[in-house]
Amino acid sequence: MELFDIEEELNKLPRSPGVYIMHDENEAILYVGKAIDLHNRVRQYFRSGHGHNNSPKIAKMVSQIAYFEYIVTASEMEALVLECNLIKEHHPKYNTMMTDDKGYPYIKITVNDAFPRIMMSHRMGRDKSMYFGPYTDRGAVHDTIALIKKLFHIRNCNRDLGKGPFNDRPCLYHQIGQCDAPCAGNISPEDYRINIEKSISFLNGNTKDIIKELKDKMTEQASNMEFEKAAETRDLIDSINKISEKQRAENTGSEDRDIIAMARNDNDSVISIFFVRNGTLLGRENHHMSSDISDSDGEIITEFIKQYYMGTPFIPSEILTITSINESDLITEYLTNRKGQKVHILTPQKGEKKGLIKLAEDNARLVLEQDIERIKRLEKRTIGACQDIAEIIGVESVSRMEAFDISNISGYHSVASMVVFENGKPKRNAYRKFRLRTVEGPDDYASMKEVLSRRYSDDKLGRYPDVIMMDGGKGQVHIAEMVIDSLGLDIPVCGMVKDDNHRTRGLYYKDKEVEFPKGSEAIHMITALQDETHRFAINYHKQLRSESQTHSILDDIKGIGPKRRKALLLHFKDVDNIKKSTLEELTAVEGMDAKSAAAVYEFFN
């Protein structure tokens, strides 16, 4: 990177709205922000005495800035959207971030299909389907979908039934009377649509008739001594009640409303958001925010609203917040434009709405207290276990461990896996697979030498680990040490040793075995790493074998793809008949043109 003169570049900043991006010396993005005037806003970071720069977090961030860049936009609204998109894409270190992406399920109906399907969806998509929810009980959602399909004969399959005629053989659900078999043309789209309308009515809360029908059925089953069937019917009634039960929020009116509150400590913040739809409290979500002690409540809530509503397709008419937010007018305008009607962001001070805020706040505080204990337990199993391993083998740190394994069957498709654990947890985007290039036959030592040489001579594969973990004992460790020494590196190497019952018992390090206390978090960590390494290598090996077994000689013919290969095999039954066929016979196959037929004929002749 060329030398960046911050003072000179500050003078070049335009007096326009836009987004600025702060980088450190390694070009990593530290912070993304927006401004109505880039010239004024960005300069403030490098001038003492400005209020926002008094924050310890911002001061620390500024000390790491090596250079900045900016993107000019036509308006502050465009800058807001771009800022949120860049934050979501890059997860800058110093931005206040949502650290999770969990939600509650929806029921989705693909109403635009000729024969719509009903399914569970983890989020509301930007499509033409109809969504119900979100719901708080996943089990009840599954049960209700199953019930709807059973009651109204909605199909279970995922076949594309958009075109006819249909000649498929009906599946088991048709045979047991739970599907009208649209795949076989047994029901028209119009009649099937009536069943879908009944399903929609059911999900809209019109359940009285069906519950009465089920109760009558349960009574009849019990009278006939069919107690198992009666119990099954009772469970279905319970599922309906769970999902359709109306938890009315007092005096909430009939508007759609989200209630947002927060609980926080020095290191963590939890946002609770409650969903009120048509006056019914349907459910809630909890989200964690990475924040700094110097961040105000208003700043955290503001960042949550920006990030959350940029990513959800449904926007309520009213949003209640525990504290007033920054940029309220701008955010309100943006949400109003997206919804197509007025959106209100309010901070109630009294009355029933204040009570709803209190409910959400109590929930957030409870989640935070529970999570503190959960986080402590998790840290003991992860970071704590890494510290124990470092102390036992006498190294400074094992925050990053890389483990290797070789997998082959008599040398066939020899492959290796590299698994990475950081701070005690798998870092799956850093895993790597290796196909052996220079080794023939089942020579694990030579294979490991090749893999390690390739890994530690390639800087593109990420930073080096604190410790290398080998799946094996003395021999594998010595091979790894030889490779590391030949590359001029200084990385400790350990062997993960198993006992006679194939259970991990300790580490081989510096020519001696180091045992760990039985049941310790450290031994659990090593066992998990060894099992994950073995699993990853075996799965890769299975994948290669499967690809090899499904390869056809027809794949080697230029111009013959999966569709034409399938057509040839359906027509001629096997490859031998294709070999014997004439050019005219090949041309007669559906989907084959003269050029592709000639390619096949010439390949075999």
Side-chain angles (χ1 to χ4, degrees):
M1 185 184 69
E2 296 181 4
L3 184 63
F4 187 89
D5 188 324
I6 288 181
E7 285 298 327
E8 181 179 340
E9 296 300 325
L10 287 174
N11 292 327
K12 296 178 182 177
L13 285 164
R15 295 188 178 277
S16 307
V19 171
Y20 54 91
I21 306 164
M22 305 297 195
H23 294 263
D24 66 12
E25 59 183 8
N26 297 316
E27 301 188 16
I29 295 179
L30 297 170
Y31 187 81
V32 174
K34 68 161 185 60
I36 193 169
D37 185 324
L38 285 168
H39 184 86
N40 288 341
R41 179 59 173 163
V42 177
R43 289 171 66 88
Q44 288 176 1
Y45 286 96
F46 304 94
R47 300 291 183 264
S48 61
H50 288 279
H52 81 283
N53 209 15
N54 292 332
S55 159
K57 182 179 79 168
I58 297 297
K60 185 176 180 181
M61 184 268 289
V62 171
S63 70
Q64 299 175 35
I65 296 174
Y67 70 99
F68 60 81
E69 56 181 320
Y70 53 87
I71 303 170
V72 174
T73 59
S75 66
E76 189 180 10
M77 181 69 70
E78 284 187 15
L80 172 68
V81 176
L82 179 58
E83 176 198 32
C84 291
N85 288 335
L86 290 174
I87 289 172
K88 185 175 182 180
E89 179 181 355
H90 297 291
H91 293 80
K93 180 178 180 179
Y94 287 97
N95 281 93
T96 301
M97 292 290 303
M98 288 173 61
T99 57
D100 53 13
D101 188 23
K102 65 181 179 181
Y104 288 81
Y106 296 82
I107 293 177
K108 173 181 178 180
I109 304 181
T110 59
V111 290
N112 269 35
D113 292 349
F115 295 96
R117 297 171 59 208
I118 298 180
M119 67 196 80
M120 189 177 84
S121 175
H122 292 289
R123 58 183 67 246
M124 187 186 291
R126 297 177 184 271
D127 54 29
K128 296 180 180 179
S129 297
M130 181 177 288
Y131 290 86
F132 295 84
Y135 300 106
T136 58
D137 190 325
R138 291 176 185 272
V141 171
H142 282 293
D143 290 345
T144 302
I145 291 174
L147 175 65
I148 290 172
K149 289 178 177 179
K150 183 177 179 180
L151 291 173
F152 305 116
H153 293 196
I154 306 301
R155 65 189 181 104
N156 276 275
C157 66
N158 59 2
R159 298 178 187 177
D160 182 3
L161 302 182
K163 298 179 181 179
F166 308 108
N167 300 308
D168 291 1
R169 182 179 177 182
C171 66
L172 178 63
Y173 288 101
H174 176 68
Q175 296 175 29
I176 63 177
Q178 292 186 18
C179 179
D180 291 329
C183 60
N186 288 5
I187 183 172
S188 68
E190 293 75 22
D191 289 340
Y192 187 91
R193 180 70 57 176
I194 292 173
N195 293 342
I196 288 293
E197 294 299 332
K198 289 179 180 178
S199 303
I200 293 171
S201 176
F202 178 87
L203 286 170
N204 277 324
N206 301 321
T207 59
K208 277 187 179 181
D209 291 342
I210 190 64
I211 287 178
K212 182 180 183 303
E213 181 182 330
L214 287 173
K215 284 182 176 179
D216 292 343
K217 183 178 180 181
M218 182 175 64
T219 302
E220 181 182 348
Q221 289 168 333
S223 300
N224 295 333
M225 309 290 284
E226 297 173 322
F227 297 118
E228 288 187 8
K229 291 183 178 179
E232 182 180 333
T233 305
R234 179 204 62 204
D235 292 342
L236 289 174
I237 294 171
D238 289 343
S239 294
I240 297 171
N241 286 329
K242 279 183 183 178
I243 204 165
S244 62
E245 186 178 49
K246 299 213 179 275
Q247 300 171 285
R248 287 286 174 183
E250 295 181 37
N251 298 327
T252 57
S254 60
E255 286 193 0
D256 295 328
R257 174 182 291 133
D258 286 354
I259 301 104
I260 300 174
M262 176 180 67
R264 62 183 298 195
N265 56 28
D266 290 350
N267 303 309
D268 202 7
S269 301
V270 172
I271 305 285
S272 273
I273 175 169
F274 278 65
F275 309 109
V276 173
R277 300 293 180 262
N278 293 320
T280 300
L281 185 59
L282 285 183
R284 59 104 177 96
E285 291 180 5
N286 296 305
H287 294 270
H288 288 75
M289 299 287 289
S290 64
S291 58
D292 186 82
I293 192 172
S294 62
D295 293 329
S296 70
D297 291 355
E299 288 172 333
I300 296 172
I301 295 289
T302 299
E303 291 305 315
F304 171 78
I305 288 175
K306 286 159 61 175
Q307 293 172 43
Y308 182 81
Y309 290 107
M310 289 284 178
T312 182
F314 182 82
I315 297 170
S317 301
E318 189 173 84
I319 299 172
L320 306 182
T321 63
I322 191 171
T323 185
S324 58
I325 66 170
N326 304 334
E327 308 171 307
S328 177
D329 292 343
L330 178 65
I331 294 172
T332 298
E333 181 186 355
Y334 171 74
L335 296 178
T336 296
N337 290 341
R338 275 200 59 198
K339 185 175 179 63
Q341 64 186 68
K342 184 65 177 176
V343 174
H344 301 275
I345 302 177
L346 307 173
T347 306
Q349 302 299 318
K350 59 182 180 180
E352 298 300 334
K353 291 182 179 180
K354 180 67 173 178
L356 291 171
I357 289 289
K358 181 66 165 57
L359 176 67
E361 183 183 18
D362 290 344
N363 180 82
R365 185 173 293 108
L366 179 63
V367 171
L368 182 62
E369 290 171 356
Q370 292 172 341
D371 281 0
I372 287 173
E373 295 304 316
R374 178 185 59 80
I375 290 167
K376 286 180 180 177
R377 292 194 299 270
L378 180 62
E379 286 182 348
K380 184 178 179 182
R381 292 197 302 266
T382 54
I383 297 174
C386 290
Q387 292 171 345
D388 290 344
I389 294 171
E391 290 176 7
I392 290 171
I393 66 175
V395 298
E396 184 177 343
S397 170
V398 292
S399 63
R400 180 180 172 107
M401 296 181 283
E402 291 183 358
F404 296 84
D405 188 23
I406 300 292
S407 177
N408 64 64
I409 297 178
S410 300
Y412 176 77
H413 277 329
S414 291
V415 299
S417 66
M418 181 185 88
V419 164
V420 180
F421 272 32
E422 282 197 357
N423 295 320
K425 293 183 285 188
K427 187 177 182 181
R428 291 186 171 83
N429 63 353
Y431 286 14
R432 291 295 182 269
K433 303 170 183 176
F434 299 88
R435 292 186 69 167
L436 276 299
R437 300 170 180 169
T438 63
V439 180
E440 294 184 4
D443 189 336
D444 283 359
Y445 286 176
S447 298
M448 192 57 71
K449 182 177 180 180
E450 177 190 327
V451 169
L452 293 173
S453 298
R454 286 165 58 185
R455 158 59 181 114
Y456 295 112
S457 58
D458 188 348
D459 294 336
K460 295 179 181 178
L461 294 181
R463 72 178 182 89
Y464 293 152
D466 299 303
V467 175
I468 297 171
M469 295 285 189
M470 306 300 297
D471 185 39
K474 183 177 180 180
Q476 294 279 22
V477 170
H478 284 175
I479 288 291
E481 289 174 338
M482 287 169 47
V483 173
I484 296 302
D485 289 343
S486 68
L487 294 172
L489 301 174
D490 182 19
I491 305 174
V493 180
C494 295
M496 297 179 287
V497 184
K498 292 185 177 181
D499 60 20
D500 294 337
N501 295 317
H502 297 282
R503 291 190 296 246
T504 308
R505 71 171 184 236
L507 295 174
Y508 183 84
Y509 181 59
K510 290 189 175 179
D511 292 323
K512 63 180 181 180
E513 188 172 321
V514 180
E515 292 193 0
F516 289 71
K518 288 185 178 180
S520 67
E521 297 294 352
I523 200 69
H524 289 323
M525 171 72 66
I526 295 167
T527 301
L529 178 60
Q530 191 169 31
D531 290 346
E532 177 70 353
T533 307
H534 189 61
R535 178 201 67 80
F536 191 56
I538 290 295
N539 285 352
Y540 182 38
H541 194 259
K542 286 180 180 177
Q543 173 192 335
L544 292 180
R545 283 186 317 191
S546 176
E547 290 174 357
S548 174
Q549 290 165 1
T550 57
H551 180 79
S552 166
I553 191 172
L554 299 177
D555 294 327
D556 297 328
I557 305 175
K558 187 175 181 180
I560 302 301
K563 288 186 178 179
R564 284 177 175 155
R565 180 184 68 183
K566 182 178 179 181
L568 287 167
L569 290 172
L570 285 173
H571 187 88
F572 292 105
K573 306 305 180 187
D574 59 40
V575 174
D576 285 338
N577 288 331
I578 297 173
K579 289 180 181 178
K580 299 172 186 175
S581 62
T582 65
L583 183 60
E584 290 75 16
E585 290 171 332
L586 289 167
T587 307
V589 176
E590 183 180 355
M592 295 287 289
D593 55 23
K595 184 178 180 181
S596 58
V600 175
Y601 183 81
E602 290 170 7
F603 183 85
F604 289 116
N605 294 277

